[in-house]
Amino acid sequence: LEERIGNQLDSLKVKWEFEPDKIPYIGKPHTYTPDFKIGSIYIETKGRFLAKDRAKHLLVREQHPELDIRFVFTNPNQKLYKGAKTTYADWCIKHGFNYSRSRIPESWILEMCRD
């Protein structure tokens, strides 16, 4: 998924960085490295969205509310765990994260290129 997103950005001639920053937060591990940075927006690509990933992102959001972190999931309709009613998309909506399926939406790219 990361490679596909990088190829998408390259084909659109969008300037981007891969894992450019380490964002500290309290908890383990002590830094979070987002996959992509375009302007001031971070893009996190996820095939699987484990409980530890969700906990980390809630800590980062709580400790760095100024950051705009968005998710691109392979399948946002995937359930959080076997038997769950909640999907990755539901989790993002509940916690105020923007998300997309498989690609960065054109609207995000236009927004990112204005920064």
Side-chain angles (χ1 to χ4, degrees), residues 54-66:
R54 298 188 303 269
K56 171 179 62 180
H57 280 284
L58 292 178
L59 286 170
V60 171
R61 164 66 57 89
E62 179 183 311
Q63 295 170 34
H64 298 280
E66 74 283 1

Side-chain angles (χ1 to χ4, degrees), residues 3-33:
E3 183 178 2
R4 190 175 345 152
I5 296 299
N7 290 339
Q8 176 192 7
L9 295 170
D10 287 344
S11 71
L12 295 170
K13 303 204 181 330
V14 173
K15 182 179 177 184
W16 58 277
E17 301 172 71
F18 184 74
E19 296 186 349
D21 298 320
K22 297 210 181 286
I23 299 167
Y25 69 97
I26 298 170
K28 291 186 178 183
H30 297 287
T31 60
Y32 158 57
T33 305

Side-chain angles (χ1 to χ4, degrees), residues 5-6 10 12 27-28 34-35 39-40 47 59 79 83-84 87-88 91 111:
I5 296 299
D10 287 344
L12 295 170
K28 291 186 178 183
D35 293 326
S40 62
L59 286 170
K79 303 293 186 190
T87 64
Y88 297 172
W91 185 92
E111 183 181 347

Side-chain angles (χ1 to χ4, degrees), residues 17-115:
E17 301 172 71
F18 184 74
E19 296 186 349
D21 298 320
K22 297 210 181 286
I23 299 167
Y25 69 97
I26 298 170
K28 291 186 178 183
H30 297 287
T31 60
Y32 158 57
T33 305
D35 293 326
F36 295 91
K37 183 178 184 184
I38 307 165
S40 62
I41 297 173
Y42 292 101
I43 302 292
E44 183 66 28
T45 57
K46 288 287 183 198
R48 296 179 62 208
F49 197 34
L50 304 175
K52 65 181 181 176
D53 297 319
R54 298 188 303 269
K56 171 179 62 180
H57 280 284
L58 292 178
L59 286 170
V60 171
R61 164 66 57 89
E62 179 183 311
Q63 295 170 34
H64 298 280
E66 74 283 1
L67 297 180
D68 186 350
I69 299 171
R70 303 178 187 194
F71 292 93
V72 176
F73 294 110
T74 301
N75 178 9
N77 297 318
Q78 175 75 34
K79 303 293 186 190
L80 292 179
Y81 54 88
K82 187 176 181 175
K85 293 181 181 178
T86 305
T87 64
Y88 297 172
D90 295 332
W91 185 92
C92 284
I93 291 165
K94 177 180 178 181
H95 296 288
F97 288 97
N98 288 315
Y99 70 93
S100 179
R101 180 186 188 118
S102 297
R103 296 179 60 85
I104 298 174
E106 185 177 327
S107 61
W108 290 9
I109 293 172
L110 293 172
E111 183 181 347
M112 293 173 199
C113 291
R114 284 185 287 187
D115 290 346

